[in-house]
Amino acid sequence: MDENNIKWFKELDSNHITEIGYKAARLVELFKARFPIPRGFVINSKYYYSFLQQNNIKEKINEIIKSIDFNNKKNILEKSNEIRKLFFKTKINNDVKIKLAKIYSKIGETSVGWLNSVVNTFVAIRVSLTSEEYTPTQLDFIE
């Protein structure tokens, strides 16, 4: 994983929306406006899409999506679980694991005067949708 595929909120702005997705861009805006947003980072869509390609799951996901009966809530949930299982079965490269662990460990770092410490921090993991086919405003309806 290229170091440029992971960015801290403070390194981003709303101009990065096509790289980081709608929700991440909104979190960045709130962070920059000094709302009480915890420290966080974003893995960009370039890495996400390469992950799908390298692990041959993009086509599988597309096939599952094509088979969804959107009038049947039970079928939607079943297909969603199939996609979820694809991700859980897919191995993450050790290099990527190490880089993510390294940056994740920095979330709780704090410094008070000369004292640096690590605090236990609650975190949230959010999917921030980007699309190769649609603009961010066309994706606003997706929660």
Side-chain angles (χ1 to χ4, degrees):
M1 173 188 277
D2 181 350
E3 294 293 329
N4 292 323
N5 289 328
I6 303 175
K7 296 279 188 189
W8 289 101
F9 289 164
K10 67 183 180 182
E11 299 173 307
L12 299 164
D13 59 42
S14 60
N15 294 324
H16 293 96
I17 194 167
T18 56
E19 298 169 40
I20 64 173
Y22 182 80
K23 288 181 184 176
R26 296 301 160 249
L27 274 174
V28 167
E29 285 180 350
L30 291 170
F31 182 82
K32 297 274 180 163
R34 300 207 178 267
F35 278 81
I37 305 297
R39 290 179 69 192
F41 62 91
V42 177
I43 300 169
N44 70 18
S45 60
K46 179 182 173 184
Y47 174 73
Y48 173 75
Y49 288 118
S50 74
F51 174 81
L52 294 180
Q53 290 290 105
Q54 290 171 0
N55 291 287
N56 299 313
I57 58 176
K58 183 177 178 180
E59 295 79 21
K60 293 174 187 174
I61 291 170
N62 286 334
E63 289 302 313
I64 293 169
I65 290 171
K66 288 177 188 175
S67 71
I68 296 174
D69 176 0
F70 288 99
N71 295 314
N72 181 333
K73 185 175 179 178
K74 183 179 177 185
N75 183 258
I76 294 170
L77 292 172
E78 288 170 354
K79 300 299 181 176
S80 175
N81 283 329
E82 283 182 43
I83 293 171
R84 185 176 293 118
K85 286 177 186 176
L86 281 174
F87 281 95
F88 282 124
K89 283 194 246 178
T90 303
K91 300 284 185 203
I92 297 176
N93 174 312
N94 275 340
D95 182 45
V96 172
K97 285 181 186 178
I98 291 167
K99 287 178 183 174
L100 285 174
K102 181 179 173 185
I103 198 164
Y104 178 79
S105 70
K106 292 181 180 182
I107 285 179
E109 284 183 0
T110 185
S111 61
V112 180
W114 54 271
L115 178 65
N116 289 328
S117 65
V118 175
V119 294
N120 290 329
T121 303
F122 289 107
V123 298
I125 299 172
R126 303 285 301 183
V127 172
S128 190
L129 189 63
T130 64
S131 173
E132 297 167 329
E133 299 174 32
Y134 302 102
T135 65
T137 53
Q138 290 172 304
L139 300 171
D140 281 351
F141 70 93
I142 298 175
E143 185 62 30

